[in-house]
Amino acid sequence: MTQRQKRIQLIALEIVIAIVALLFLYPLFLVVFNSFKTYEQVLTNIMALPKSLITINYSEVWRLMEYPTLFVNTFLLTLVSVAGIVFIGSMAGYKLSRTKTRWSAFLFFVCISPMMLPFQSFMITLTKLSKQLHLINSLEGLSVIYWGLGAPLAVFMFHGFVKSLPLELEESGAIDGASSYGVFFRIVFPVMVPVISTVIILNVMWIWNDFLLPLIMLNGKQSTLQLASYKFFGQYKSEWQYALTAVVYTSIPPVVVFLFLQKYIIKGMVAGAVKG
């Protein structure tokens, strides 16, 4: 194959990738465009560009959603939940990876087995258990529930990553007199940055955008941005111009997190794959 043919194939591949990317981004463009329309314009032709930029939608949604308050609620919920998932997942994944016994292998299987279960299969049981543990109707309790639901994937990823780390790092720390916790937090944990970033990205995108679990555990109280966005959908009328604006508002923070940390996601996802 000549150099010219290779270049033509590369250009053709880039064009195909660009077309696929545009297809995936098209719904996002529709949401943004329609957030600048009036209610009548959205219903008339959702595919058309806005005739003029109706910026009042953003100020109205900001006020109706009580955006600053709910942003803080959602931010703290996501922060506490993700911090707990990273803390629990990293320590459990590290210990289970370094302990070479049948018991640890069995515990590892038990830890990651919930990944294979759909949420709907244990949703009712989880709700009843959460009520008995007084985790219902509070953001703090919801954070604890997220710890349990997010831990299996985190343990799986940290377990695979630790396999790729040379054992000599920990042995040198032990020789210098560091305790088991000292070895983990001073030597191992800082090296886990790629997989930590991946776990953070995946769980921020999930928890921030989650609607079903807050709806169930908070009994419909508008305590997060996702639940507040639902207020624009009524039984007889949906205020689409406000609903789409609310989608833009709620989507911006996780997108920013992804853009800052996305360079680590591939490295973290495949870390340890060769040795695992």
Side-chain angles (χ1 to χ4, degrees):
M1 183 180 294
T2 65
Q3 191 70 22
R4 177 182 174 83
Q5 290 175 326
K6 291 182 179 180
R7 182 173 179 81
I8 292 175
Q9 287 186 352
L10 180 60
I11 293 175
L13 179 61
E14 291 176 348
I15 293 174
V16 172
I17 293 175
I19 293 174
V20 173
L22 288 175
L23 290 176
F24 276 94
L25 290 174
Y26 184 65
L28 176 62
F29 293 150
L30 285 181
V31 170
V32 175
F33 291 156
N34 285 280
S35 68
F36 290 102
K37 293 181 181 180
T38 63
Y39 177 75
E40 292 76 15
Q41 290 175 351
V42 174
L43 291 185
T44 302
N45 189 353
I46 194 174
M47 311 294 287
L49 294 175
K51 298 178 181 178
S52 59
L53 298 182
I54 311 297
T55 57
I56 193 174
N57 290 345
Y58 284 87
S59 59
E60 282 296 302
V61 171
W62 184 281
R63 179 182 61 85
L64 293 172
M65 288 181 63
E66 299 180 355
Y67 187 83
T69 300
L70 294 187
F71 176 85
V72 173
N73 287 353
T74 310
F75 175 79
L76 292 177
L77 172 65
T78 305
L79 178 64
V80 174
S81 301
V82 173
I85 291 171
V86 170
F87 181 76
I88 296 171
S90 60
M91 293 191 70
Y94 166 72
K95 185 62 177 178
L96 292 173
S97 178
R98 289 305 193 215
T99 306
K100 306 297 184 181
T101 64
R102 292 183 179 180
W103 177 242
S104 64
F106 172 75
L107 286 179
F108 174 66
F109 174 78
V110 171
C111 288
I112 67 172
S113 58
M115 293 171 53
M116 298 177 284
L117 300 176
F119 176 72
Q120 292 78 6
S121 64
F122 59 87
M123 180 173 62
I124 297 176
T125 305
L126 177 63
T127 304
K128 291 182 177 180
L129 178 62
S130 300
K131 188 174 182 179
Q132 293 175 356
L133 296 176
H134 304 288
L135 300 177
I136 297 288
N137 294 329
S138 71
L139 294 176
E140 295 81 4
L142 183 57
S143 298
V144 175
I145 296 172
Y146 277 125
W147 293 354
L149 294 177
L153 178 60
V155 171
F156 176 76
M157 296 181 66
F158 282 112
H159 186 276
F161 185 84
V162 171
K163 289 183 178 180
S164 67
L165 300 179
L167 192 59
E168 290 76 13
L169 288 175
E170 301 156 50
E171 292 175 346
S172 62
I175 292 174
D176 292 337
S179 64
S180 299
Y181 290 101
V183 169
F184 176 75
F185 286 108
R186 294 182 181 180
I187 299 176
V188 178
F189 193 78
V191 182
M192 290 181 171
V193 171
V195 70
I196 289 174
S197 301
T198 304
V199 172
I200 290 175
I201 290 174
L202 295 178
N203 286 285
V204 165
M205 301 292 285
W206 162 47
I207 295 172
W208 186 280
N209 294 313
D210 190 22
F211 175 79
L212 180 58
L213 194 59
L215 179 66
I216 297 172
M217 298 302 172
L218 301 178
N219 288 328
K221 294 181 180 179
Q222 296 175 1
S223 302
T224 67
L225 289 176
Q226 294 297 334
L227 293 181
S229 301
Y230 190 65
K231 70 188 297 182
F232 299 114
F233 295 96
Q235 182 177 0
Y236 301 105
K237 179 182 178 180
S238 298
E239 298 176 295
W240 289 104
Q241 78 283 15
Y242 292 157
L244 294 172
T245 304
V247 171
V248 175
Y249 268 136
T250 56
S251 300
I252 290 175
V255 170
V256 172
V257 172
F258 178 81
L259 291 177
F260 272 104
L261 300 179
Q262 57 87 24
K263 65 180 180 180
Y264 296 107
I265 191 166
I266 299 300
K267 185 177 180 180
M269 288 292 286
V270 302
V274 175
K275 294 190 177 182

